[in-house]
């Protein structure tokens, strides 16, 4: 690979612990308050990629909408099938593990979020998503690469990002939102989370790394992960989330962890890319999402880090309001996503997606641009600057409590 090197590497935690020891001391009672850079480095971001494009209309279902029921005669959720959040909309019942977060005002639901323009093709729309660009732009760097480079206080001397699961379909630079950071951003991507969870040695996992992370990664192992009381689901998503808690507990977590949620067999059509038999696949993958994130919250609370953690989900596009002849939904436009954490200002953000009668592909444009979410992460969560990260200015969302 020309820009990203595949290695059989061994991790060691010395480099991480050296960088975090001062932070641990600063957090103790009686120690001077953290500097801005130290405070930023104590803020973890967990990005959860719902690969293939989640169906927002059945995730947060407009159960009282007659057009929704007409356009989805087989797929529409009824009031009895959902968890009603207000008079008109309810969460898919498979997401019930997230209800405690909702009740604690630590879950925000982003309605109508997406890209301003989409082609409804995975490859191109994933490119614009990862680079936070327009369809007529072809940027090299991912948006998170630019954010980390712009805000150097967030970066580590070696590894800035740990990723679990596949990031991108490109071969030359398969780093998703961390593209183009081969020399400037250190990324270690472990393709199969259960391999890492079983061995805690990257040398014994299938993985990719950018050049910056390569040498540091050779010395990294997690020899004695914390024994957690929290029980995690036994799938790959659960393994990735448990591994994240263990890395944080060991003082070895970088500022960003990226997790891709896909079908266990690797076929995104058996998860979120619901072109056919959606009733068979969509509920189970939403259940995996909810149970995994609920366990992650308990795990981070157990180690005292939930207030320092921000989790958000995203995808390349949503699904059409209209079901197709194969019992599924084709590519759409705007979608529904989640943000959660101990400092999240829970509730509904944005506007409910209108149910429009369009072709079996496409849908209504978003009311929340993804770049507004990204700006919120950079500026309101990390306390950095998004100036220059995007082509224009985006107003942060009212996502976090002060």
């Amino acid at each position: 690979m020309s820009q990203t090197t595949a290695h059989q590497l061994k991790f060691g935690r010395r480099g991480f612990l050296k960088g975090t020891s001062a932070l641990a001391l600063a957090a103790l009672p009686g120690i001077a308050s953290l500097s801005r850079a130290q405070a930023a480095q104590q803020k973890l971001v967990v990005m959860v990629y719902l690969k293939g494009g989640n169906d927002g209309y059945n995730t947060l279902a407009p159960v009282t909408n007659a057009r929704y029921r007409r356009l989805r005669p087989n797929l529409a959720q009824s009031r009895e099938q959902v968890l009603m959040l207000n008079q008109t909309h309810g969460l898919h019942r498979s997401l019930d593990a997230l209800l405690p977060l909702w009740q604690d005002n630590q879950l925000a639901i982003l309605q109508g979020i997406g890209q301003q323009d989409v082609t409804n093709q995975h490859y191109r729309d994933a490119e614009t998503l990862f680079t936070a660009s327009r369809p007529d732009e072809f940027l090299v760097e991912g948006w998170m690469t630019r954010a980390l480079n712009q805000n150097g206080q967030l970066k580590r001397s070696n590894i800035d990002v740990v990723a679990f699961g596949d990031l991108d379909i490109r071969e030359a630079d398969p780093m998703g939102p961390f593209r183009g950071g081969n020399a400037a951003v250190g990324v270690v991507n472990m393709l199969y989370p259960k391999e890492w969870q079983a061995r805690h040695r990257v040398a014994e996992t299938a993985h990719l790394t950018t050049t910056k992370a390569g040498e540091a990664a050779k010395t990294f192992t997690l020899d004695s992960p914390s024994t957690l009381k929290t029980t995690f689901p036994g799938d790959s998503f659960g393994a990735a989330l448990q591994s994240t808690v263990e890395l944080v507990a060991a003082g070895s977590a970088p500022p960003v962890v990226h997790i891709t949620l896909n079908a266990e067999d690797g076929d995104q059509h058996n998860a979120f890319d619901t072109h056919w038999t959606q009733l068979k696949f969509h509920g189970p993958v939403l259940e995996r999402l909810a149970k995994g994130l609920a366990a992650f919250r308990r795990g981070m609370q157990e180690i005292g880090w939930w207030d320092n953690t921000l989790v958000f989900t995203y995808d390349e596009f949503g699904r059409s309001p209209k079901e197709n002849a194969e019992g599924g939904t084709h590519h759409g436009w705007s979608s529904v996503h989640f943000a959660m954490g101990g400092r999240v200002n829970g509730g509904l953000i944005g506007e409910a997606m209108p149910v429009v009668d369009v072709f079996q592909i496409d849908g209504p444009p978003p009311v929340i641009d993804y770049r507004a979410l990204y700006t919120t992460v950079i500026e309101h969560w990390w306390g950095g600057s998004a100036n220059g990260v995007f082509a224009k200015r985006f107003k942060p969302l009212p996502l976090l409590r002060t």
Side-chain angles (χ1 to χ4, degrees):
M1 296 181 181
S2 58
Q3 293 184 341
T4 302
T5 309
H7 294 286
Q8 302 250 326
L9 301 178
K10 202 164 35 170
F11 270 49
R13 56 183 179 177
R14 281 195 193 91
F16 283 112
L17 292 175
K18 180 179 179 181
T20 57
S21 58
L23 301 183
L25 288 173
L28 294 175
I31 302 297
S33 61
L34 296 175
S35 70
R36 182 175 177 179
Q38 288 173 323
Q41 286 199 356
Q42 281 202 314
K43 298 280 187 71
L44 174 69
V45 169
V46 179
M47 305 169 62
V48 178
Y49 180 38
L50 310 185
K51 185 175 181 178
N54 182 43
D55 178 16
Y57 285 101
N58 274 19
T59 298
L60 184 64
V63 294
T64 62
N65 189 299
R67 182 179 289 169
Y68 166 72
R69 297 193 299 271
R70 177 171 62 81
L71 297 180
R72 296 186 170 210
N74 300 296
L75 296 182
Q77 300 288 293
S78 67
R79 181 183 288 268
E80 293 70 34
Q81 291 175 298
V82 301
L83 306 164
M84 295 299 294
L85 299 185
N86 56 27
Q87 294 299 312
T88 60
H89 286 71
L91 274 182
H92 196 292
R93 190 165 291 276
S94 296
L95 294 166
D96 63 349
L98 295 181
L99 272 185
L101 285 93
W102 177 260
Q103 293 161 350
D104 290 343
N105 295 316
Q106 295 182 353
L107 172 66
I109 300 177
L110 308 178
Q111 306 173 99
I113 187 170
Q115 305 189 73
Q116 288 304 310
D117 297 285
V118 291
T119 65
N120 282 312
Q121 301 297 319
H122 288 288
Y123 189 94
R124 182 60 187 141
D125 289 339
E127 282 200 332
T128 56
L129 175 76
F130 294 150
T131 59
S133 59
R134 303 186 309 266
D136 60 344
E137 290 181 313
F138 293 86
L139 301 181
V140 173
E141 290 183 329
W143 77 268
M144 185 61 86
T145 297
R146 298 196 301 274
L148 291 172
N149 287 337
Q150 173 100 355
N151 298 277
Q153 74 274 14
L154 302 175
K155 293 170 68 176
R156 303 294 174 83
S157 60
N158 39 52
I159 298 171
D160 307 303
V161 180
V162 168
F164 296 99
D166 59 322
L167 273 172
D168 200 339
I169 58 177
R170 294 202 332 178
E171 293 184 1
D173 191 5
M175 288 292 162
F178 319 106
R179 289 179 177 190
N182 201 47
V185 176
V187 183
V188 175
N189 176 204
M190 287 169 278
L191 300 177
Y192 305 108
K194 287 186 177 181
E195 288 185 344
W196 166 258
Q197 187 61 35
R199 304 178 180 95
H200 293 107
R201 294 176 181 274
V202 176
E204 299 176 16
T205 73
H207 65 280
L208 302 170
T209 178
T210 57
T211 301
K212 178 186 174 184
E215 285 304 311
K218 292 178 182 179
T219 63
F220 186 80
T221 61
L222 191 57
D223 298 320
S224 301
S226 298
T227 300
L228 300 169
K229 296 179 181 178
T230 302
T231 301
F232 288 81
D235 64 349
S236 296
F237 187 54
L241 292 165
Q242 180 176 345
S243 297
T244 302
V245 177
E246 291 171 348
L247 287 170
V248 173
S252 302
V256 184
V257 174
H258 187 284
I259 303 173
T260 299
L261 178 53
N262 197 2
E264 287 293 80
D265 62 5
D267 185 348
Q268 64 192 46
H269 298 100
N270 296 336
F272 292 106
D273 198 3
T274 49
H275 287 286
W276 49 80
T277 57
Q278 179 168 329
L279 292 177
K280 178 180 178 180
F281 299 114
H282 193 230
V285 76
L286 289 179
E287 184 176 10
R288 290 176 59 207
L289 173 68
K291 287 186 174 180
L293 292 177
F296 180 67
R297 180 209 193 193
R298 294 192 298 271
M300 294 302 273
Q301 288 176 326
E302 181 181 338
I303 66 170
W305 257 78
W306 181 236
D307 283 354
N308 286 1
T309 303
L310 175 63
V311 183
F312 69 85
T313 66
Y314 75 110
D315 59 15
E316 58 266 50
F317 43 59
R319 315 303 291 186
S320 170
K322 182 182 291 186
E323 72 177 61
N324 60 32
E326 290 76 40
T329 48
H330 291 315
H331 302 167
W333 198 347
S334 58
S335 192
V336 171
H337 280 284
F338 303 108
M340 61 197 72
R343 299 182 187 178
V344 164
N345 185 28
L348 295 171
I349 296 178
E351 300 173 12
M353 294 187 300
V355 183
V356 294
D357 192 349
V358 294
F359 294 106
Q360 287 188 353
I361 194 168
D362 209 23
V367 296
I368 300 175
D369 192 298
Y370 269 126
R371 290 168 290 189
L373 171 61
Y374 300 161
T375 299
T376 308
V377 172
I378 297 167
E379 296 191 347
H380 285 191
W381 180 246
W382 276 331
S385 173
N387 294 334
V389 177
F390 311 112
K392 65 178 184 178
R393 176 72 186 170
F394 291 89
K395 183 180 179 180
L397 302 174
L399 183 61
L400 300 168
R401 292 196 293 272
T402 56

